[in-house]
Amino acid sequence: IQPAIDEAFRLTDAENAIWEFIGSDIFRPEDWKANRDALVPLKLLRPQTINFELRAGVMELSHAFVFGHWASVQALSRALLEQAIKLNCERLGIDLRYTYGKKEYKSLETLIKELREHFPGIVGDMNVVRQHGNRILHGDSDFGRKMTQMDRGRRMASMRQDAILSIRSLFQALEALPKLAR
Protein backbone atom coordinates (compact mmCIF):
# COMPACT_ATOMS: atom_id res chain seq x y z
CA ILE A 1 0.00 0.00 0.00
CA GLN A 2 2.92 2.35 0.63
CA PRO A 3 3.83 2.64 -3.11
CA ALA A 4 0.21 3.65 -3.83
CA ILE A 5 0.32 6.30 -1.09
CA ASP A 6 3.65 7.61 -2.40
CA GLU A 7 2.22 7.80 -5.91
CA ALA A 8 -0.88 9.64 -4.65
CA PHE A 9 1.34 12.18 -2.88
CA ARG A 10 3.46 12.58 -6.00
CA LEU A 11 0.40 13.18 -8.18
CA THR A 12 -1.16 15.67 -5.77
CA ASP A 13 2.06 17.62 -5.21
CA ALA A 14 1.50 21.17 -6.48
CA GLU A 15 4.98 21.12 -8.08
CA ASN A 16 4.05 18.09 -10.19
CA ALA A 17 4.03 18.65 -13.96
CA ILE A 18 0.47 17.33 -14.20
CA TRP A 19 -0.84 20.32 -12.26
CA GLU A 20 1.04 22.69 -14.52
CA PHE A 21 -0.53 20.96 -17.52
CA ILE A 22 -4.02 21.05 -16.02
CA GLY A 23 -3.70 24.77 -15.42
CA SER A 24 -2.46 25.54 -18.94
CA ASP A 25 -4.36 26.84 -21.97
CA ILE A 26 -3.95 23.55 -23.83
CA PHE A 27 -5.80 21.51 -21.20
CA ARG A 28 -9.34 21.48 -22.62
CA PRO A 29 -11.04 18.16 -21.78
CA GLU A 30 -14.49 19.49 -22.75
CA ASP A 31 -13.20 20.27 -26.25
CA TRP A 32 -11.55 16.86 -26.45
CA LYS A 33 -14.82 15.15 -25.59
CA ALA A 34 -16.74 17.21 -28.16
CA ASN A 35 -14.12 16.39 -30.79
CA ARG A 36 -14.20 12.70 -29.91
CA ASP A 37 -18.00 12.73 -30.17
CA ALA A 38 -17.79 14.47 -33.56
CA LEU A 39 -15.27 11.88 -34.75
CA VAL A 40 -17.43 8.86 -33.92
CA PRO A 41 -19.77 9.14 -36.94
CA LEU A 42 -16.76 9.68 -39.19
CA LYS A 43 -15.24 6.36 -38.25
CA LEU A 44 -16.95 4.48 -41.05
CA LEU A 45 -14.36 1.75 -41.26
CA ARG A 46 -13.67 -1.06 -38.89
CA PRO A 47 -9.94 -1.31 -38.16
CA GLN A 48 -9.84 -4.75 -39.79
CA THR A 49 -10.79 -3.26 -43.16
CA ILE A 50 -7.96 -0.73 -43.10
CA ASN A 51 -4.66 -1.90 -44.53
CA PHE A 52 -2.19 -2.77 -41.75
CA GLU A 53 0.33 -0.18 -43.00
CA LEU A 54 -2.30 2.55 -42.71
CA ARG A 55 -3.78 1.61 -39.33
CA ALA A 56 -1.19 3.41 -37.20
CA GLY A 57 -1.63 6.55 -39.29
CA VAL A 58 -5.41 6.43 -38.91
CA MET A 59 -5.02 6.12 -35.13
CA GLU A 60 -2.64 9.09 -35.10
CA LEU A 61 -5.11 11.01 -37.25
CA SER A 62 -7.90 10.26 -34.78
CA HIS A 63 -5.77 11.45 -31.86
CA ALA A 64 -4.85 14.66 -33.68
CA PHE A 65 -8.55 15.31 -34.30
CA VAL A 66 -9.55 14.70 -30.68
CA PHE A 67 -6.89 17.13 -29.45
CA GLY A 68 -7.89 19.75 -32.02
CA HIS A 69 -4.76 19.74 -34.14
CA TRP A 70 -6.64 20.72 -37.29
CA ALA A 71 -3.62 21.40 -39.49
CA SER A 72 -2.15 18.02 -38.48
CA VAL A 73 -5.43 16.28 -39.34
CA GLN A 74 -5.42 17.75 -42.83
CA ALA A 75 -1.72 17.04 -43.47
CA LEU A 76 -2.02 13.48 -42.13
CA SER A 77 -5.15 12.88 -44.20
CA ARG A 78 -3.27 13.86 -47.33
CA ALA A 79 -0.27 11.68 -46.40
CA LEU A 80 -2.51 8.68 -45.68
CA LEU A 81 -4.36 9.12 -48.97
CA GLU A 82 -1.10 9.16 -50.91
CA GLN A 83 0.13 6.09 -49.03
CA ALA A 84 -3.17 4.26 -49.67
CA ILE A 85 -3.03 5.02 -53.38
CA LYS A 86 0.56 3.83 -53.59
CA LEU A 87 -0.32 0.63 -51.73
CA ASN A 88 -3.10 -0.07 -54.24
CA CYS A 89 -1.50 1.16 -57.48
CA GLU A 90 -0.03 -2.13 -58.61
CA ARG A 91 -3.35 -3.95 -58.24
CA LEU A 92 -5.08 -1.02 -59.96
CA GLY A 93 -2.69 -1.22 -62.89
CA ILE A 94 -1.26 2.26 -62.32
CA ASP A 95 2.49 2.87 -62.50
CA LEU A 96 3.81 4.92 -59.58
CA ARG A 97 6.70 6.32 -61.58
CA TYR A 98 6.94 8.23 -64.80
CA THR A 99 7.97 6.00 -67.69
CA TYR A 100 9.76 8.70 -69.67
CA GLY A 101 12.82 10.66 -68.67
CA LYS A 102 14.05 10.39 -65.12
CA LYS A 103 12.33 7.67 -63.08
CA GLU A 104 10.64 9.58 -60.27
CA TYR A 105 7.43 9.16 -58.34
CA LYS A 106 4.33 10.77 -59.74
CA SER A 107 2.69 13.52 -57.74
CA LEU A 108 -0.48 12.82 -55.81
CA GLU A 109 -2.35 15.05 -58.26
CA THR A 110 -1.11 12.97 -61.21
CA LEU A 111 -2.02 9.69 -59.51
CA ILE A 112 -5.53 10.97 -58.80
CA LYS A 113 -5.92 12.06 -62.43
CA GLU A 114 -4.94 8.56 -63.54
CA LEU A 115 -7.42 7.04 -61.08
CA ARG A 116 -10.14 9.28 -62.55
CA GLU A 117 -9.89 7.38 -65.84
CA HIS A 118 -10.67 4.09 -64.11
CA PHE A 119 -12.66 5.07 -61.01
CA PRO A 120 -14.40 8.44 -61.33
CA GLY A 121 -16.59 7.81 -58.27
CA ILE A 122 -13.90 8.41 -55.64
CA VAL A 123 -11.81 11.10 -57.30
CA GLY A 124 -13.87 13.92 -55.75
CA ASP A 125 -13.13 12.67 -52.24
CA MET A 126 -9.45 12.28 -53.08
CA ASN A 127 -9.23 15.81 -54.43
CA VAL A 128 -10.86 17.21 -51.29
CA VAL A 129 -8.20 15.55 -49.13
CA ARG A 130 -5.38 16.62 -51.46
CA GLN A 131 -6.54 20.24 -51.66
CA HIS A 132 -7.04 20.66 -47.91
CA GLY A 133 -3.71 18.98 -47.20
CA ASN A 134 -1.90 21.09 -49.79
CA ARG A 135 -3.33 24.28 -48.32
CA ILE A 136 -1.84 23.34 -44.95
CA LEU A 137 1.47 22.01 -46.30
CA HIS A 138 2.12 24.78 -48.80
CA GLY A 139 0.57 27.71 -46.97
CA ASP A 140 -2.48 29.78 -47.69
CA SER A 141 -3.43 33.40 -48.10
CA ASP A 142 -3.79 33.99 -44.32
CA PHE A 143 -0.18 33.06 -43.58
CA GLY A 144 1.70 35.95 -42.01
CA ARG A 145 -1.38 38.18 -41.82
CA LYS A 146 -2.12 39.78 -38.47
CA MET A 147 -5.39 38.43 -37.14
CA THR A 148 -7.74 39.64 -34.46
CA GLN A 149 -9.03 37.27 -31.81
CA MET A 150 -12.28 36.98 -33.78
CA ASP A 151 -10.35 36.18 -36.98
CA ARG A 152 -8.45 33.44 -35.17
CA GLY A 153 -11.69 32.00 -33.79
CA ARG A 154 -13.27 31.95 -37.25
CA ARG A 155 -10.14 30.43 -38.75
CA MET A 156 -10.06 27.66 -36.13
CA ALA A 157 -13.76 26.90 -36.70
CA SER A 158 -13.13 26.81 -40.44
CA MET A 159 -10.09 24.57 -40.00
CA ARG A 160 -12.14 22.21 -37.82
CA GLN A 161 -14.79 21.95 -40.56
CA ASP A 162 -12.04 21.36 -43.14
CA ALA A 163 -10.58 18.65 -40.90
CA ILE A 164 -13.97 16.93 -40.64
CA LEU A 165 -14.39 17.09 -44.41
CA SER A 166 -10.85 15.77 -44.93
CA ILE A 167 -11.43 12.79 -42.64
CA ARG A 168 -14.82 12.00 -44.15
CA SER A 169 -13.36 12.13 -47.67
CA LEU A 170 -10.28 10.15 -46.67
CA PHE A 171 -12.36 7.39 -45.11
CA GLN A 172 -14.50 7.17 -48.25
CA ALA A 173 -11.35 6.74 -50.34
CA LEU A 174 -9.80 4.24 -47.90
CA GLU A 175 -12.95 2.18 -48.02
CA ALA A 176 -13.17 2.26 -51.83
CA LEU A 177 -9.53 1.71 -52.83
CA PRO A 178 -9.12 -1.90 -51.69
CA LYS A 179 -12.48 -2.79 -53.23
CA LEU A 180 -11.45 -1.22 -56.52
CA ALA A 181 -8.13 -3.04 -56.49
CA ARG A 182 -9.62 -6.53 -56.32
Side-chain angles (χ1 to χ4, degrees):
I1 232 173
Q2 189 58 47
I5 292 171
D6 293 342
E7 182 67 6
F9 277 125
R10 186 183 72 73
L11 290 175
T12 56
D13 181 9
E15 298 297 315
N16 189 297
I18 196 167
W19 292 109
E20 289 180 34
F21 176 67
I22 288 172
S24 71
D25 289 341
I26 63 171
F27 186 74
R28 298 179 178 272
E30 297 83 16
D31 292 350
W32 301 339
K33 181 183 180 327
N35 291 339
R36 188 196 64 211
D37 293 347
L39 184 62
V40 170
L42 298 176
K43 288 189 171 183
L44 304 173
L45 302 174
R46 294 187 328 256
Q48 297 82 359
T49 63
I50 298 173
N51 187 301
F52 179 76
E53 289 92 350
L54 300 174
R55 235 180 262 169
V58 170
M59 288 303 299
E60 190 170 329
L61 176 69
S62 297
H63 293 159
F65 187 89
V66 168
F67 288 111
H69 299 277
W70 311 128
S72 298
V73 168
Q74 292 173 66
L76 279 169
S77 293
R78 187 197 182 286
L80 286 167
L81 174 64
E82 188 166 359
Q83 187 178 5
I85 289 172
K86 288 179 177 180
L87 287 170
N88 285 281
C89 268
E90 186 178 324
R91 290 183 293 163
L92 293 169
I94 295 172
D95 193 357
L96 285 173
R97 296 176 181 256
Y98 291 105
T99 55
Y100 56 88
K102 190 169 85 173
K103 283 279 199 181
E104 59 185 40
Y105 284 106
K106 294 176 182 174
S107 68
L108 179 57
E109 183 177 15
T110 300
L111 291 171
I112 290 172
K113 284 179 183 175
E114 290 184 21
L115 282 170
R116 177 182 293 133
E117 296 172 17
H118 304 286
F119 314 105
I122 62 168
V123 170
D125 288 317
M126 291 181 182
N127 274 322
V128 165
V129 174
R130 183 184 63 80
Q131 290 166 353
H132 285 293
N134 283 353
R135 190 173 331 129
I136 294 300
L137 294 170
H138 303 297
D140 61 18
S141 60
D142 287 337
F143 186 75
R145 181 174 75 85
K146 288 189 177 188
M147 287 194 257
T148 66
Q149 189 70 23
M150 187 176 288
D151 289 339
R152 281 192 288 278
R154 283 190 197 120
R155 180 174 165 87
M156 292 309 287
S158 173
M159 286 181 70
R160 184 178 191 271
Q161 285 308 113
D162 290 348
I164 289 171
L165 186 57
S166 291
I167 290 178
R168 181 178 293 129
S169 297
L170 173 67
F171 283 6
Q172 293 295 326
L174 290 180
E175 187 173 43
L177 277 169
K179 292 176 185 175
L180 297 174
R182 288 184 185 157

